[in-house]
Amino acid sequence: MKRIIYTSLYTSLIIVSLLFVSCKKKNESPFEANPIAKAIKLETQTITKQQLDKIPEAYRVSVENGGTIEHITYKSKNYYGDGADNEKKANVYLPAGYDKADKSKKYKVLYLMHGIGGDENEWGMKDEKSLVKKMMDNLAEKGDIDPFIIVTPNGRSGSDPDPNKTYLAFYKFGEELRNDLIPYMDSHYNTYADRDHRAMAGLSMGGMQTINIGICECLDLISYFGAFSAAPTSYEAAKVAQVLNKNDDLSINFFYNICGTEDSIAYGAHAAAAKLLPRLTSRLVEGENYRWQEQGGGHDFGIWNLGFYNFAKIFGGK
């Protein structure tokens, strides 16, 4: 009799548990169930004052007569699709004193990439409120860097803007960068048209693009690299080292990395892609042309803004 009661009770508990799980799944937030949506949520969360204070206050204020931001449209292709003609948008930061007519004064260019949930505006490089602009204006005014141009494009090389449908379009950006965006910048702005004066950096999915595309596909075009919380689909260190070792005639001016130790999305993948690289290739030497930086923080702009600030000093360093 006791066995029957226990069996019935056990069966009832199982049924209740299944109903609870079913209800939980039905009502569960898509941000928790969908890793892409979770990454988007983290990218768009509010940044605390404590996180912003990792960058010196003096570099986060507006500068009178600082640089300017332009909004451009350039011709490209629907590389993740039928290859049809496509128009892409991007934002361009020009340092204070930039004069289009003065062809004798040339500038380095940084191609700064966004994350899976963003577009050309995710870095906020839209107007005078831009933190990127404020940091650049202050770094230049205080003499920390030689000024350079920044481009924030849309990293999806396709025509559908939905990140849940077209995340694979991020992996086609190398064709757009090589065939369309770099040629456009070099023909419309006063740039040094060589790899020693070009950089690529990005957050999350943009960090993946920096590793997978910048280093592993476009090493002949770029020599400075910055990965901020690189996404889980970044190539592992062994593959990156293999590419570097095969191209020993192409110098690596610098490869900078930063990731938060509490970043549940990117830390493991980013570390697997970059942390051990100096042990796998003599092309990268810690303290010379390579840095791995990790500190308390998550998958957010507290880490990414600091990453940009540090990388800007490396790329523009005198």
Side-chain angles (χ1 to χ4, degrees), residues 55-184:
I55 298 166
E57 179 66 30
Y59 290 82
R60 297 194 284 112
V61 299
S62 296
V63 172
E64 188 176 355
N65 300 319
T68 57
I69 292 176
E70 295 186 349
H71 309 288
I72 64 171
T73 300
Y74 61 96
K75 296 185 182 302
S76 185
K77 302 284 185 183
N78 183 18
Y79 290 107
Y80 181 67
D82 58 6
D85 290 342
N86 191 23
E87 284 196 339
K88 296 291 295 292
K89 294 180 179 179
N91 301 317
V92 178
Y93 166 83
L94 299 173
Y98 178 88
D99 182 358
K100 185 176 182 179
D102 184 5
K103 303 299 182 182
S104 65
K105 174 63 174 176
K106 298 187 181 297
Y107 295 84
K108 296 179 178 180
V109 183
L110 164 60
Y111 295 87
L112 185 61
M113 312 306 299
H114 61 82
I116 193 168
D119 56 20
E120 65 275 9
N121 296 321
E122 185 172 28
W123 277 100
M125 213 172 73
K126 297 180 290 184
D127 51 35
E128 294 295 318
K129 298 179 182 178
S130 165
L131 180 58
V132 167
K133 179 185 182 303
K134 291 174 182 177
M135 287 189 282
M136 285 296 297
D137 288 346
N138 279 287
L139 285 165
E141 184 181 63
K142 299 178 194 312
D144 296 336
I145 65 169
D146 287 324
F148 56 86
I149 295 170
I150 302 174
V151 189
T152 57
N154 187 318
R156 298 182 193 85
S157 291
S159 56
D160 190 336
D162 186 343
N164 287 287
K165 295 179 181 178
T166 58
Y167 66 92
L168 292 176
F170 280 98
Y171 301 91
K172 301 293 289 182
F173 183 74
E175 296 177 61
E176 179 179 324
L177 182 66
R178 180 181 295 275
N179 299 328
D180 309 316
L181 184 53
I182 287 178
Y184 179 92

Side-chain angles (χ1 to χ4, degrees), residues 232-248:
T233 49
S234 303
Y235 291 150
E236 291 191 353
K239 182 168 185 176
V240 180
Q242 184 179 41
V243 171
L244 293 176
N245 291 334
K246 283 184 177 179
N247 294 277
D248 58 1

Side-chain angles (χ1 to χ4, degrees), residues 3 11 37 39 44 46 52 79 95 120 132-133 158 168 190 199 225 238 241 253 255 267 270 275 290 298 307 316:
R3 173 179 283 184
T11 303
T44 56
T46 302
L52 287 176
Y79 290 107
E120 65 275 9
V132 167
K133 179 185 182 303
L168 292 176
N190 301 334
F225 307 94
N253 281 324
F255 183 22
Y267 181 84
H270 193 171
K275 191 172 183 178
Y290 172 89

